[in-house]
Amino acid sequence: MEVEEWVMGHETAQNMLRRIGPRTTGLAPLVPALQRIVNLHGRHVVEVAGASGSAKSEFLLQGYDGWDGGVLWFDLDGHFDVLRLVRLLQAHIHQEARRRYEEGNEEEDEMEDGEQVLETCMERFFYTRCYSSLEFISALKSSRNHLLRAQTCGKGFRILVIDSIAAFYWLDRSAPFKGGAGNPSLSLQGAMQAVVRELKELRKLSQPTGLLVMASKCNIYSSNFSDTNDWASGLRKDNRQVDSAHEKDSRRSGLQQREFMPAVWQEFITHRLLLQSKVADGTETLFSAEWLRPALLNVDEFTINDTGFMLTNR
Amino acid sequence: MPRLDSPGLFSLTPKILADFAAEGILSVEDFLLAHNPNLDESRTEARKQAVVDILGYIDRQSCGFRTSARMLQEIEARGERYLPTGCESLDKLLEGGLREGTVTELVGGSSSGKTQVCMQVAASVAYRCRAMVGFVDTCHSFSATRLSHMLGGLVGGRDAVQRRVGAADEIGDAMKSIMHYSIFDIFPMLSFLNQLHTTLSVQVQSMEEKVMRLLIVDCASSVISPILGGIPGHALMVSMGIILKKLALENHLAVLHATRSQIIQLVEKEAILSLLLERLGKPCLVFACFSHETSAAIFVMLPL
C-alpha cells in the first residue's frame, strides 16, 4: 500500500512534499536549506541556532508544511502566531494548486479542495505552551498519550518542534541545588536529562517512522579576547576537520559562539544549523543559513516574505 | 509541586510511597525529574498502576494540547483587537496599534520621550476602548496632571471641559480606569505581576464590566539594571520576561514596556516587537521601528 502510493506520485497538495515509501525514506523538506541534507528522517535531531531575531521561529514554522502526520509544537518562548501559520499554509496550497493547474493535471477549480487540505493540516498541528522546565517535562509526559492515540488512528506524529530549548536555561542554572545522594533536583543538568529522556522515549514510541525533533536555540556570542588565545579555538576545532566559512568569519569579526547547553543535550542532537541575519543595503534583511553539523561549506541566503523563505543565491 | 501522597490517588499505597521514597522521589516534581520509563518494565503491577495514575494526574494539571484549528477558532471568537496608541503614525507603523497578546518593547535613551508615549497610549486606550489600564511606574515619572491634559486633548481639545457638558465626566472616568502602581524593586515587581496574573484569571470568569487590556511598565530597565551581572540576576530578568509573556498570552493583555537603550545588548529579545525611540530635536520624535517579522527599519516623524 505504501509502495503503491509512492509510485503513484504526487496526487494532491497534501502529498506535495512527502514520499511515503519504505520506512527509511526521508521526508522531503520544503525549506531550501533543509534540502541539502538529503534523507532527513525520523532518527535525526536538528538544532537550529542563531542570535536573536535571526528567524529561527520562522524557520521552524516553515519546516511544517504538507508533512504527512502530525506536528507537536512546544512553545517555550511565546513566539507563535497562528495567523502566520495559516497564511503560510494557504500560500503553499495556492502555489501548489496553481502549479498543478498549469501542468494541466486538474481542470476544475481546487478552491474547495484547498480549504479541506488547509483544515486537515491545521487539525494535525498540536500546540502547547510551557512557562517552566517542569511544565515542559510534564507536557512531554502527557504527549505520550497523544502519540499513542494518534498512532492507533493511523496518523502518527512525524515532527516534534521545540521553540526554544534554551528558554529556561538561566532559570534552571540559578535554581538552588538541593543536594543529597540520589536526590533529583531542578538543576540545569537534571532538567535537561529528564527532557532528553522523555524525547528518547517519545521517539521509541513512534517507531518505525521515527520522530524528527527540531529545536531552536538562541546563541550566545562572546567576544574573542585575543588572537593568541589558542586553546579556545583549539577546543572548537576538535569536532570538525574542516573549518567552516562561518568560523573564519566569526574569528575575523571577533565573535565566537559559546556552547552553553549541557553535554547531555549536545550529544542528543545530530544536526546543527546556524542562522544569521545581516542587514542589507536596502530595507530587507538577509538571513544566512549554514550547516555546522555536518559541516558543509555552502551558505544559503534567503529573505522572508509572506509566502515564506525565498532563496536569494544559488 | 505537591507531595506524592496529597493528590489522594488510590494506587499510591504506603508501600509504593516508601518504594518511591527509597529512590528519592517524594513529590510530583521529583517524579518528573527522576522517573525513568525504561525501568518500569521490571516493576510490579501495583507500581506500574501507580505510575499510570501519577501520569494521569499530571495530564489533568497541565493545560494540554490544542490543535491550531481550535486556536484559530478561539482567536476569531474573541476577536483579538488592536489597541490604538493615540498617535496615527505610530498606529500605522504597528499596522493598527498594540495587539493584544503581544509584548512590545519601547527602547530609547534618556529623555527620548518614552514616558510620554506610555502615558499617551494609556490615555488613548482608557478613553477609546473603555478598558482598564495598568501603569507600573518604576522611575517616578508619571504625572497625573499631564495625563489629564492628554485626555483633555483626546476628548475634544484643551477647552473641551468648558465647551462640552459631559467632557469632565469622561475625563474622570478614563482617569479612574488607569491604575497606577509604584514599584521600585525587582522582587515586589515579580510578586505584583504574579498577583496580577492570578487576579485577572479570576476576573474573566466573573465577567465584570471593565477588563484590563493593557499593561504598561515604565521603565523595566530601572528594576533590572541593578541586579544584572551574575547568574541570579540574569535569571530574575528572564523570570520577569516570562511572567510578562504569560500575562500577555494567557490574560490577553497588550504589554508595553520601556527600556533604556544601554541595556539592549544584555537583555535577551523577549519582546515580539521592538520600537526604538530617538530624539532628534524639539518638538519632533523619530521612530525607527524594527519588528522580528519583517525586520524592516521604518522612520516616521511624529509631531507632538
Side-chain angles (χ1 to χ4, degrees):
Chain A
M1 175 58 198
E2 290 175 0
V3 178
E4 211 178 276
E5 259 185 58
W6 182 64
V7 167
M8 296 255 296
H10 303 159
E11 289 174 65
T12 66
Q14 207 172 333
N15 288 339
M16 164 176 75
L17 294 168
R18 69 168 176 190
R19 249 177 277 128
I20 299 182
R23 297 157 188 181
T24 52
T25 303
L27 311 163
L30 178 65
V31 182
L34 275 182
Q35 278 165 351
R36 289 191 180 277
I37 302 288
V38 183
N39 221 16
L40 191 72
H41 59 77
R43 280 178 285 288
H44 288 165
V45 181
V46 181
E47 183 190 81
V48 177
S52 337
S54 57
K56 299 190 295 296
S57 303
E58 278 281 340
F59 192 83
L60 294 175
L61 208 54
Q62 294 282 327
Y64 171 71
D65 236 338
W67 299 107
D68 181 42
V71 174
L72 272 174
W73 186 288
F74 289 90
D75 189 5
L76 310 181
D77 238 3
H79 280 161
F80 182 71
D81 189 2
V82 158
L83 303 173
R84 177 106 183 110
L85 175 72
V86 170
R87 262 184 294 169
L88 280 173
L89 282 174
Q90 278 172 338
H92 280 294
I93 291 171
H94 281 314
Q95 220 173 24
E96 175 64 18
R98 212 179 23 235
R99 186 185 71 85
R100 291 159 41 68
Y101 183 69
E102 278 162 15
E103 282 177 8
N105 284 343
E106 300 275 328
E107 270 119 26
E108 68 261 14
D109 196 358
E110 291 212 0
M111 283 305 285
E112 298 90 36
D113 207 29
E115 281 294 317
Q116 221 177 3
V117 169
L118 181 70
E119 264 182 42
T120 336
C121 286
M122 301 266 285
E123 281 295 323
R124 290 205 231 113
F125 188 97
F126 288 86
Y127 170 85
T128 189
R129 242 182 254 138
C130 306
Y131 295 106
S132 75
S133 284
L134 284 174
E135 281 184 34
F136 181 38
I137 299 170
S138 45
L140 280 172
K141 278 209 190 308
S142 40
S143 61
R144 289 177 69 203
N145 294 337
H146 273 273
L147 210 78
L148 292 168
R149 230 179 295 150
Q151 273 183 336
T152 52
C153 297
K155 295 263 184 206
F157 285 107
R158 299 295 288 274
I159 319 183
L160 190 143
V161 177
I162 306 168
D163 175 27
S164 71
I165 191 77
F168 310 120
Y169 170 75
W170 292 104
L171 289 178
D172 293 337
R173 238 183 107 173
S174 71
F177 184 61
K178 276 196 222 143
N183 204 2
S185 65
L186 185 57
S187 65
L188 187 61
Q189 304 293 334
M192 264 305 131
Q193 271 172 356
V195 166
V196 170
R197 201 170 44 222
E198 292 304 320
L199 287 173
K200 282 189 180 153
E201 180 68 23
L202 286 174
R203 231 174 27 184
K204 211 166 57 168
L205 280 178
S206 44
Q207 295 294 348
T209 47
L211 189 70
L212 176 63
V213 177
M214 295 188 62
S216 74
K217 185 190 84 172
C218 190
N219 252 356
I220 293 180
Y221 284 92
S222 65
S223 58
N224 212 358
F225 296 122
S226 65
D227 283 334
T228 57
N229 199 356
D230 279 329
W231 68 270
S233 46
L235 273 175
R236 255 166 279 275
K237 268 197 186 170
D238 274 347
N239 300 331
R240 297 192 274 287
Q241 275 79 25
V242 178
D243 248 13
S244 65
H246 162 76
E247 203 168 276
K248 291 206 194 90
D249 274 332
S250 69
R251 250 186 268 137
R252 246 183 282 135
S253 60
L255 291 170
Q256 285 277 18
Q257 278 182 67
R258 253 181 41 207
E259 189 51 62
F260 57 89
M261 294 296 284
V264 66
W265 174 258
Q266 292 191 41
E267 282 157 22
F268 184 54
I269 59 173
T270 56
H271 290 71
R272 185 180 297 158
L273 178 69
L274 179 75
L275 293 180
Q276 278 177 312
S277 73
K278 304 180 206 163
V279 183
D281 310 305
T283 48
E284 282 189 344
T285 318
L286 272 183
F287 295 95
S288 74
E290 185 189 347
W291 282 101
L292 290 181
R293 184 174 165 185
L296 300 176
L297 294 176
N298 300 311
V299 177
D300 287 312
E301 292 189 355
F302 49 88
T303 57
I304 304 178
N305 61 7
D306 256 354
T307 56
F309 282 20
M310 304 250 302
L311 209 53
T312 53
N313 70 335
R314 221 165 301 131
Chain B
M1 288 268 163
R3 290 176 56 92
L4 277 178
D5 46 12
S6 43
L9 298 168
F10 290 119
S11 54
L12 286 176
T13 59
K15 184 172 167 303
I16 302 273
L17 283 172
D19 211 8
F20 277 130
E23 291 173 22
I25 299 178
L26 293 166
S27 69
V28 178
E29 177 183 317
D30 296 334
F31 177 81
L32 281 174
L33 290 169
H35 172 240
N36 193 343
N38 297 327
L39 299 178
D40 273 348
E41 298 303 316
S42 51
R43 308 287 184 158
T44 60
E45 279 304 315
R47 162 85 178 222
K48 284 187 198 170
Q49 182 58 37
V51 168
V52 166
D53 281 344
I54 297 176
L55 287 175
Y57 170 77
I58 292 172
D59 210 1
R60 286 192 294 275
Q61 297 294 311
S62 68
C63 45
F65 287 87
R66 296 174 279 173
T67 58
S68 53
R70 201 175 129 206
M71 284 173 70
L72 195 64
Q73 280 168 8
E74 281 172 13
I75 290 181
E76 281 166 8
R78 198 172 39 237
E80 256 178 10
R81 282 187 273 171
Y82 288 84
L83 302 173
T85 58
C87 164
E88 271 181 30
S89 42
L90 190 55
D91 278 344
K92 220 191 306 182
L93 208 68
L94 295 169
E95 293 175 15
L98 291 174
R99 196 172 136 196
E100 281 181 1
T102 59
V103 178
T104 308
E105 185 179 41
L106 197 63
V107 182
S110 306
S111 75
S112 55
K114 302 190 293 293
T115 309
Q116 297 298 313
V117 172
C118 288
M119 290 204 289
Q120 176 77 20
V121 175
S124 162
V125 171
Y127 177 66
R128 294 222 179 101
C129 307
R130 310 233 179 273
M132 300 272 282
V133 175
F135 197 108
V136 179
D137 184 16
T138 64
C139 35
H140 208 63
S141 48
F142 182 81
S143 154
T145 327
R146 178 87 181 112
L147 188 69
S148 67
H149 291 159
M150 286 179 174
L151 278 168
L154 281 171
V155 165
R158 298 191 75 147
D159 52 349
V161 179
Q162 284 94 33
R163 280 190 287 120
R164 212 149 55 89
V165 175
D169 286 335
E170 283 173 14
I171 295 178
D173 272 339
M175 295 278 279
K176 275 186 212 155
S177 28
I178 301 178
M179 313 287 289
H180 173 260
Y181 307 100
S182 285
I183 299 177
F184 303 106
D185 195 21
I186 183 74
F187 297 106
M189 170 74 86
L190 289 173
S191 119
F192 163 74
L193 291 174
N194 277 306
Q195 213 173 351
L196 185 66
H197 171 64
T198 321
T199 318
L200 287 177
S201 310
V202 171
Q203 191 188 35
V204 170
Q205 290 158 16
S206 63
M207 302 288 275
E208 282 178 12
E209 270 213 33
K210 273 196 184 178
V211 180
M212 186 178 282
R213 290 253 202 87
L214 172 69
L215 177 72
I216 299 178
V217 182
D218 174 37
C219 99
S221 52
S222 331
V223 293
I224 292 178
S225 48
I227 52 153
L228 277 181
I231 296 172
H234 212 116
L236 285 170
M237 178 180 72
V238 170
S239 320
M240 190 170 134
I242 290 180
I243 183 74
L244 283 176
K245 273 192 275 198
K246 202 172 179 176
L247 278 168
L249 293 166
E250 305 289 325
N251 301 109
H252 313 299
L253 293 181
V255 177
L256 175 69
H257 74 100
T259 326
R260 288 261 178 76
S261 53
Q262 289 92 341
I263 297 285
I264 204 73
Q265 294 94 5
L266 302 170
V267 171
E268 286 175 21
K269 282 276 198 283
E270 303 281 344
I272 298 168
L273 179 67
S274 273
L275 292 167
L276 181 66
L277 274 169
E278 264 184 48
R279 186 175 212 154
L280 205 57
K282 288 181 182 178
C284 296
L285 278 175
V286 177
F287 286 105
C289 168
F290 53 101
S291 85
H292 287 288
E293 272 182 19
T294 59
S295 294
I298 307 168
F299 289 87
V300 166
M301 295 289 280
L302 166 71
L304 261 181

